[in-house]
Amino acid sequence: MLSEPILTSRAEDGRDIPLLVWHADVPLRAVSSGPLGGGIGVRRWVLNATVPMSYDRDDPAVHLVALAADLALDGPGVGLLTGVNVAEVVARTDTGVRAWATVGLGTPVLAAAPAPAGLAQRVGTVNIVVYVPARLADSALVNAVATATEAKTQAITELGLPGTGTPTDAVTVLCPVDGPEAAYAGPRSTWGAPLARAVHAAVLAGGARAVVPWSEQLTG
């Protein structure tokens, strides 16, 4: 079982920077596109860390390992980064599936559009964390990432933004390691359908409100 996230903070450069942490009661299967703990494997925690918009480290995984150590997080986990204040996380539940999203849509892009000459320094990350209360096969875990991404894109379209996502979005899906294995997680499957609805609702709610980068909130 994955806990509700705990909001905490870290001291960095004289500022208290927010962190969001999910703990697993027991190890969980996971798939993630995050900079730390990406791929498919067994994970014990998820960390979503706010960073200033000036963030320019080229070793985000190393940074996240250090943050996890400071929080005494044991074992393998998933680490995510965002310019959004993670205290603004949006949670939605549907038929036992739980989804959390920190939504920054300041840099929407169309996935297959030509790359622009430069991107504005705005909040541009949507981090999605999902817990499915049934064991998913490896193929279903991958399918779940696709379903979550489709649901996110549907929400962005409904918000009237010209994009399918942002350049730095990440998705993490977790499920139990035991129990009967579900082979599918597409949007019309037993677990993919509620996953899609929960993610869509979370991203739609998070994107409907004005989002100011955490580092700009400090200066007003």
Side-chain angles (χ1 to χ4, degrees):
M1 189 72 165
L2 191 67
S3 70
E4 289 296 321
I6 297 170
L7 181 65
T8 183
S9 64
R10 70 186 187 276
E12 194 170 292
D13 297 329
R15 298 176 292 187
D16 289 329
I17 305 181
L19 300 164
L20 208 57
V21 184
W22 291 258
H23 296 272
D25 297 335
V26 295
L28 298 173
R29 283 170 50 75
V31 61
S32 179
S33 62
L36 176 66
I40 294 176
V42 175
R43 306 289 183 257
R44 299 192 66 98
W45 48 266
V46 179
L47 170 63
N48 192 9
T50 294
V51 293
M53 292 303 292
S54 58
Y55 188 83
D56 60 357
R57 289 186 59 154
D58 59 5
D59 59 348
V62 172
H63 186 199
L64 284 160
V65 166
L67 296 180
D70 289 343
L71 293 168
L73 297 175
D74 295 327
V78 172
L80 311 170
L81 297 170
T82 178
V84 174
N85 184 344
V86 295
E88 298 173 2
V89 63
V90 177
R92 293 292 185 270
T93 301
D94 192 300
T95 320
V97 175
R98 292 184 288 157
W100 300 267
T102 50
V103 184
L105 291 168
T107 313
V109 297
L110 292 165
L119 291 173
Q121 280 287 344
R122 299 297 303 167
V123 172
T125 298
V126 180
N127 283 340
I128 297 168
V129 176
V130 179
Y131 175 75
V132 177
R135 176 181 169 87
L136 301 178
D138 284 357
S139 57
L141 282 171
V142 175
N143 205 177
V145 172
T147 298
T149 302
E150 291 173 14
K152 174 197 71 177
T153 299
Q154 180 182 340
I156 292 170
T157 299
E158 292 174 9
L159 288 165
L161 297 174
T164 53
T166 86
T168 52
D169 293 350
V171 178
T172 300
V173 180
L174 304 104
C175 69
V177 300
D178 299 317
E181 190 172 79
Y184 307 106
R188 292 298 175 265
S189 66
T190 299
W191 294 110
L195 183 156
R197 292 191 296 265
V199 169
H200 171 263
V203 175
L204 191 63
R209 62 193 185 191
V211 177
V212 177
W214 170 82
S215 47
E216 291 183 16
Q217 291 177 359
L218 299 180
T219 59

